[in-house]
């Protein structure tokens, strides 16, 4: 079954024939008085609607297990909850700002060390120590769009007994399936492309490892950061249009990249595979598209604030993946938790702008960008 079909037809209410699955809002469930047992007991532990969503999430990723959380950061935190005192996780310097904040400020209190490296692709056996228990990565990276060879990193990490956790928010399972490439865990901010309308917070984890699945189920029950039934239902419905939305967004993004690359008011444009032929080759070998996020810098002397204020369609706002185009300055918005030195090391300049391309008519978007670039002069 192709992913476009799976997104629509994974769930069926065969008992009642309903095309749309029901929503189970109950926080508690009646148990058999004799055994005091049942399929469901309390919503935090499990809920039929959340379980349906988790089936969809697992199906799309080709995973044995799926877990839904209240936000992308709740999912990221749960993915790192298997680390214990004395463990180390390696991350790229350009990792998402929320992840950086969690690793920099929260994990040390649990006795876990985060080591940020400039280029995950350059890791060798010498970079691993007995304490290295996990690698957390994004490919493409946020917001630099750098590419990491997943297969190589998986082989390297597993040789040292380390887990590979991949944040696949930018690509989604429509364009990239890290579990098929050997990754142990996939994390997504379902707030972004999976929900797709900038009106829902959610996070997702998928894995094929039964022991990790037990740990993530415990994280749900013990920490309580689960997705409520109403939001679970809305996410199930949103996912049905994910492949269609992302196809349009990606087509728009490709056209906008072409426009910006040839514009005299643009200093540089970055997108997956733009840094080198090698990165382009690697990305093409592990993903089926470039996605719909790009970053760029204005040419010297242009007024960035005037440019942003002149835009009519992309809102200046954090987040990405919605049907509407959004633009932000990562150094001050999505990655403000980083120190200036950390941002410089990650390649996130003060002038870098990140554009999440929506489903609008691409001619309108290009006309708007051109108008704003003229205003920036």
């Amino acid at each position: 079954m192709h992913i476009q079909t799976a997104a629509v037809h994974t769930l069926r209410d065969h008992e009642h024939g309903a095309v749309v699955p029901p929503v189970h809002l109950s926080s508690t469930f009646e148990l058999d008085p004799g055994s005091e047992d049942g399929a469901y007991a309390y919503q935090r532990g499990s809920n039929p609607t959340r379980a349906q969503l988790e089936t969809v999430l697992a199906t799309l990723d080709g995973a044995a297990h799926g877990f839904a959380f209240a936000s992308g950061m709740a999912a990221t935190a749960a993915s790192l909850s298997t680390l214990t005192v004395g463990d180390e996780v390696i991350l790229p310097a350009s990792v998402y700002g929320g992840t950086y904040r969690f690793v920099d400020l929260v994990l040390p209190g649990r006795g876990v060390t985060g080591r940020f490296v400039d280029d995950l692709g350059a890791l060798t056996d010498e970079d691993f120590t007995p304490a290295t228990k996990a690698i957390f990565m994004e490919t493409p990276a946020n917001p630099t769009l750098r590419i990491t060879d997943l297969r190589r990193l998986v082989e390297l990490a597993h040789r040292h007994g380390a887990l590979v956790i991949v944040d696949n928010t930018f690509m989604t399972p429509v364009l990239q399936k890290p579990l098929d490439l050997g990754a142990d865990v996939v994390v997504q901010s379902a707030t972004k492309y999976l929900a797709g309308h900038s009106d829902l917070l959610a996070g997702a984890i998928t894995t094929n490892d039964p022991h990790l699945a037990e740990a993530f189920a415990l994280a749900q029950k013990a920490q309580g950061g689960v997705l409520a039934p109403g939001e679970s239902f809305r996410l199930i419905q949103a996912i049905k249009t994910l492949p269609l939305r992302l196809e349009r967004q990606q087509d728009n993004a490709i056209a906008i990249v072409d426009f910006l690359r040839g514009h005299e008011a643009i200093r540089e444009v970055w997108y997956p595979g733009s840094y080198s032929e090698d990165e382009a080759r690697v990305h093409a070998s592990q993903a089926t598209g470039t996605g719909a996020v790009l970053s760029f810098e204005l040419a010297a002397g242009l007024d960035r604030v005037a440019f942003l204020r002149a835009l009519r369609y992309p809102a200046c706002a954090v987040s990405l993946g919605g049907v509407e185009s959004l633009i932000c300055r990562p150094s001050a918005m999505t990655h403000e938790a980083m120190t200036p030195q950390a941002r410089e090391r990650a390649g996130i300049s003060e002038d870098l702008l990140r554009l999440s391309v929506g489903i609008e008519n691409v001619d309108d978007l290009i006309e708007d960008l051109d108008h704003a670039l003229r205003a920036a002069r």
Side-chain angles (χ1 to χ4, degrees):
M1 183 165 55
H2 292 85
I3 195 165
Q4 295 86 349
T5 305
V8 176
H9 289 291
T10 293
L11 298 178
R12 287 288 184 90
D13 183 352
H14 294 290
E15 181 181 357
H16 302 291
V19 175
V20 176
V23 185
H24 298 271
L25 297 174
S26 182
S27 62
T28 189
F29 298 83
E30 185 176 5
L31 303 177
D32 179 85
S35 64
E36 298 177 339
D37 195 14
Y40 301 96
Y42 189 64
Q43 189 184 118
R44 174 163 39 82
S46 188
N47 169 273
T49 305
R50 192 174 86 230
Q52 289 177 325
L53 168 62
E54 290 171 339
T55 296
V56 174
L57 295 172
T59 299
L60 296 186
D61 260 339
H65 310 279
F67 302 89
F69 291 84
S71 69
M73 276 312 306
T76 295
S79 76
L80 295 169
S81 66
T82 59
L83 301 177
T84 59
V85 174
D87 289 350
E88 174 191 69
V89 55
I90 298 176
L91 307 93
S94 60
V95 75
Y96 166 59
T99 303
Y100 179 92
R101 180 190 294 113
F102 181 78
V103 173
D104 185 50
L105 299 180
V106 178
L107 283 188
R110 302 178 181 179
V112 177
T113 301
R115 174 156 51 105
F116 296 94
V117 300
D118 293 342
D119 184 5
L120 280 180
L123 286 181
T124 66
D125 290 301
E126 286 69 35
D127 292 300
F128 287 79
T129 73
T132 307
K133 301 301 181 184
I135 293 178
F136 188 101
M137 61 179 294
E138 305 163 344
T139 181
N142 178 11
T144 62
L145 289 310
R146 296 297 302 267
I147 300 301
T148 301
D149 189 333
L150 265 168
R151 293 182 181 87
R152 178 186 178 277
L153 203 62
V154 165
E155 180 182 357
L156 180 63
H158 286 177
R159 193 156 62 237
H160 294 273
L163 298 176
V164 175
I165 305 168
V166 180
D167 183 337
N168 200 39
T169 299
F170 274 33
M171 289 287 98
T172 82
V174 175
L175 299 178
Q176 184 171 263
K177 294 191 175 184
L179 295 179
D180 288 351
L181 301 174
D184 301 289
V185 181
V186 170
V187 176
Q188 290 183 82
S189 173
T191 306
K192 311 304 192 292
Y193 286 104
L194 298 190
H197 295 81
S198 301
D199 61 357
L200 173 64
L201 281 181
I205 290 180
T206 53
T207 185
N208 286 319
D209 188 307
H211 300 293
L212 290 174
E214 289 180 6
F216 300 146
L218 175 62
Q220 284 184 319
K221 192 168 186 176
Q223 298 175 25
V226 296
L227 195 63
E231 282 72 18
S232 295
F233 171 78
R234 290 173 59 205
L235 187 52
I236 290 170
Q237 295 302 97
I239 286 173
K240 292 180 179 181
T241 62
L242 167 64
L244 187 63
R245 287 185 277 108
L246 189 52
E247 180 180 2
R248 173 63 173 266
Q249 289 166 307
Q250 181 172 252
D251 288 345
N252 283 356
I254 291 170
I256 289 172
V257 165
D258 288 342
F259 164 74
L260 292 176
R261 289 178 67 188
H263 203 291
E264 61 182 7
I266 298 296
R267 188 183 79 80
E268 188 68 80
V269 183
W270 293 276
Y271 53 90
S274 64
Y275 280 83
S276 67
E277 291 184 3
D278 184 57
E279 286 197 16
R281 177 190 58 77
V282 169
H283 186 68
S285 74
Q286 62 192 26
T288 59
T290 53
V293 178
L294 57 109
S295 294
F296 61 94
E297 288 186 9
L298 302 182
L302 269 66
D303 189 329
R304 181 186 66 245
V305 174
F307 166 74
L308 293 172
R309 284 179 173 165
L311 289 170
R312 290 169 292 189
Y313 301 127
C316 184
V318 299
S319 199
L320 56 97
V323 293
E324 64 286 299
S325 296
L326 298 174
I327 193 166
C328 74
R329 186 164 70 99
S331 64
M333 298 170 73
T334 59
H335 290 67
E336 84 286 356
M338 289 182 167
T339 64
Q341 294 78 11
R343 287 195 296 269
E344 181 179 3
R345 180 183 178 190
I348 304 171
S349 74
E350 294 297 307
D351 296 319
L352 184 73
L353 299 174
R354 188 190 73 186
L355 176 63
S356 169
V357 182
I359 66 170
E360 303 95 338
N361 181 282
V362 71
D363 292 334
D364 290 337
L365 291 176
I366 290 175
E367 181 183 2
D368 190 28
L369 288 166
D370 189 46
H371 160 77
L373 289 171
R374 289 197 302 271
R377 296 193 180 96

